[in-house]
Amino acid sequence: MSHEPQAIDSRHLVIVGIVMLVSTVTVLGVCFLIWRTWAASEPLPVQPVGQPRLQARPASDLAAFRRQQAAQDRWEWVDERHATARVPVERAMRLMTREPPR
């Protein structure tokens, strides 16, 4: 003797099938209406693609970048009175990853 029913409840199966059919028809109808609305509208004008914006002075830009990097890679006081210093990035990363004193 089994604890599960052997017969399939056909009433529920028919209800699920009808709901799926109505849902499918509704979604297809909405998609068709949206498609007709968009197809009837005027297409957007195509904007011409502009030229790429290249650097005007790449050599001087590179020199300015290197000066900025060099300024960041040196030790200096930001505020000596409050003991705030600028530390090079590599050195700061090494200091932050070392084990704290016990």
Side-chain angles (χ1 to χ4, degrees), residues 9 12 17 24 31 47 49 54 57 60 62 72 87 90 94:
D9 187 7
H12 283 82
T24 303
C31 288
Q47 298 292 331
V49 177
L54 301 176
R57 298 176 310 274
S60 63
L62 180 60
Q72 291 176 353
V87 179
E90 292 295 322
R94 274 189 258 124

Side-chain angles (χ1 to χ4, degrees), residues 49-67:
V49 177
Q51 295 294 321
R53 295 183 298 164
L54 301 176
Q55 290 175 308
R57 298 176 310 274
S60 63
D61 291 345
L62 180 60
F65 174 74
R66 287 187 174 153
R67 279 193 306 276

Side-chain angles (χ1 to χ4, degrees), residues 19-93:
V19 167
M20 288 178 65
L21 180 66
V22 169
S23 298
T24 303
V25 169
T26 303
V27 168
L28 288 175
V30 168
C31 288
F32 178 73
L33 290 174
I34 291 172
W35 175 72
R36 282 185 45 116
T37 303
W38 285 347
S41 66
E42 248 181 74
L44 295 174
V46 176
Q47 298 292 331
V49 177
Q51 295 294 321
R53 295 183 298 164
L54 301 176
Q55 290 175 308
R57 298 176 310 274
S60 63
D61 291 345
L62 180 60
F65 174 74
R66 287 187 174 153
R67 279 193 306 276
Q68 181 184 9
Q69 289 298 103
Q72 291 176 353
D73 287 342
R74 68 174 186 256
W75 294 79
E76 66 180 346
W77 285 108
V78 174
D79 185 358
E80 192 170 358
R81 196 171 115 231
H82 291 102
T84 304
R86 177 175 290 127
V87 179
V89 175
E90 292 295 322
R91 177 69 175 139
M93 289 190 326

